[in-house]
Amino acid sequence: KYYDGDEKINQQRRIGPIPKRLPDASQPWREASYRTAGTLINLSEKCEDCAVMCGSDPVLIELLIEAWGGAVVSGDSTKKKKPKQTPLLHLGLAAILHAAEKELRGSGLFAEAWYDILSKEEERKQMAQRKEEKRKQRILQSTKIKQ
């Protein structure tokens, strides 16, 4: 684990606690934070070790979901509301969530909202496959009619 919430260990590593939210527009490091989050998501798509490292930290997962444009899971009422439709799930974020499911599921740290994100993406994938099959059938039928 990179960050385990133990301040003594974090002081030895010379890192501070990971913030719970990405910076707002008034912060000068906002763009760098979003770029870094995007980089971690992109790396996780290609590198399983990166996905496992990112997936072992619940706070980091929350930040990456926020950068992706998904809902903030925390119950705080000051958080933005869950959007009605989430953006298409990035393959890297999917890898992180699948790694988190393996790493955190038994510990109770795997948020139910993360499971919802994965299940919605699976539903979206199945719907796209059905649409593609119907499109292919229409094309086959139209070619049979022409012959």
Side-chain angles (χ1 to χ4, degrees), residues 15 29 32 49 54 56 86 129 131 145:
I15 62 170
W29 56 86
D49 290 339
C54 291
S56 68
T86 56
Q129 288 173 344
K131 284 182 180 180
I145 292 171

Side-chain angles (χ1 to χ4, degrees), residues 68-110:
W68 161 66
V72 176
V73 177
S74 182
D76 188 352
S77 62
T78 62
K79 307 282 187 207
K80 60 185 175 183
K81 300 224 187 243
K82 189 174 185 176
K84 290 183 181 177
Q85 189 171 15
T86 56
L88 185 64
L89 187 62
H90 189 286
L91 293 175
L93 189 55
I96 291 168
L97 291 174
H98 285 294
E101 190 173 24
K102 289 177 188 170
E103 295 284 319
L104 303 176
R105 190 60 139 177
S107 68
L109 294 174
F110 189 81

Side-chain angles (χ1 to χ4, degrees), residues 107-127:
S107 68
L109 294 174
F110 189 81
E112 190 65 32
W114 303 344
Y115 179 75
D116 291 343
I117 290 170
L118 289 173
S119 62
K120 282 182 184 179
E121 190 59 29
E122 185 61 32
E123 289 172 13
R124 188 182 313 198
K125 180 181 174 183
Q126 290 173 357
M127 184 182 297

Side-chain angles (χ1 to χ4, degrees), residues 21-34:
R21 295 286 312 272
L22 288 170
D24 60 18
S26 67
Q27 301 297 327
W29 56 86
R30 177 184 170 94
E31 182 181 352
S33 298
Y34 276 88

